[in-house]
Amino acid sequence: MPKADSKDMIGIINYGAGNIFSLTAALNRLGIPYGMINEVDEIASYDRIVIPGVGHAGTAMRKLQESGLAASIGKITKPVLGICVGMQLLTTFSEEGDSPLLNITPLKTLHFEGRITEKVPHMGWNKVFHENESPIFDNIKKDAYFYFVHSYFIEYNATFTAAFTQYGLKFSAAIQDKNFYGVQFHPEKSGEAGERLLLNFSNLY
Amino acid sequence: MLAKRIIPCLDVKDGRTVKGVNFVDLRDAGDPVELAWQYSRQGADELVFLDITATHERRKTTAELVKAVARQVNIPFTIGGGINELADADVLLHSGADKISINSAAVRNPGLINQMAEAFGIQFVVVAVDTRHVDGKNYVHLNGGRLKTDIETEDWIKEAESRGAGEILLTSMDHDGTKNGFDCDFLKKINDKLSIPLIASGGAGNMQHFVEVFQESNVDAALAASVFHYGEILIPELKDELRKQGIEVR
């Protein structure tokens, strides 16, 4: 994997939603500089923003509100990438705890359970079919495998879905809404395809 | 559709791999990080580390191992061995582990599964179960399969699932080390009743055994150690064979 050629900084929204060691390790391997965003004023210091997240969407939203960052994220005009629960936060609502979320992209986050007969969580490597020419998938195969771990999914939408995956139903593996991007899978754990995606994001303007 | 996963398992003691490894291009066959990196390059879908370090320094050396792996390796991995309480798991989560596996500690204190699932999410909690046939039934065994319990394996796995296990790693001690194939009948019986992923372990000797375990029991993943470490099965060739047999792999 080539190293990042830009000295631009990624700011990671640091709101205590799970472990970010693997994410920072991947950025280190790729030579992508990054720092932590703990409060609103720090957002302006970075060129691109990543919202990580594992665990419960409602809990993540509460922590984001407590940190005071929730109200500012929707106003960011630089590229933003939400990963896993960080992606779900961009939507209006999650069935997980019936939680209202950031409401940036007009989509809903739904539970797999009761909608599919497959095992839940959806855990492992699945094919991601990108469409709409989203730049985060540059130089990535049309049906590349990425690593998923989740029980809730964002519904498929012809306008906002940047890539879809099939697991009992067709859902959004990635979304794009103007400068806001989201991926349901874990690029930091998805081998070379995942590293390529992080590198692509680090080159976005 | 989800790809079936192939998982090499590495035994580690005091930060070094225990069993011999026979890779041609390894600089240091005892270095778990280099080995893990090689496996990820060959197309392993995931890795399991079983840390059998017994010293009082264990928690620290395990955390250092996990950090070193997480820095280098771009696929998910599970760490098991000696995880007895929430604090053990917490250290490993923040060192970059994707999942932890608990075995005897969960049998002795089943509430540990609930606690861990609640604290870290079910996706972090793998319950490893060692099983052996005794008088026509399957019983959970502890201490690496040496100590029989009176708990029937099927009952325990259902209980682990209901308490919040995110995945089950089932090792058939009757098959482990025989290289005669996985215990497909029992794995199928368990898999049919589970709504969380099941990893098959014990008995892999050749590529056909992997074909059989996926075709006959439909488990989500298959784990093996020595056949990979000694180069008897190469992961790219195994994946080609599985693909040829119509099994979806990455």
Side-chain angles (χ1 to χ4, degrees), chain A residues 19 21-22 25 29 119-126 145 147 149 166-167 188-192 195, chain B residues 1-3 45 70-71 73-76 93 95-96 98-99 123 166 191 195-196 220 248-250:
Chain A
N19 160 49
F21 191 97
S22 300
R29 284 197 299 275
K119 292 178 176 181
V120 179
H122 173 226
M123 183 185 320
W125 297 82
N126 207 336
Y145 282 99
Y147 186 77
V149 186
Q166 290 280 357
Y167 188 64
E188 73 279 18
K189 285 288 161 183
S190 292
E192 287 192 8
E195 291 182 342
Chain B
M1 217 170 80
L2 266 182
D45 297 300
R71 281 193 196 102
V73 175
N74 59 15
I75 59 171
L93 173 79
S95 303
D98 297 286
K99 311 174 196 179
Q123 82 290 336
N191 192 54
S195 52
I196 53 173
D220 300 275
E248 182 161 346
V249 287
R250 178 172 73 107

Side-chain angles (χ1 to χ4, degrees), chain A residues 37-53:
Chain A
I37 297 175
N38 296 300
E39 41 195 273
V40 174
D41 293 348
E42 292 166 340
I43 293 176
S45 324
Y46 294 95
D47 308 288
R48 292 166 202 95
I49 312 297
V50 169
I51 313 170

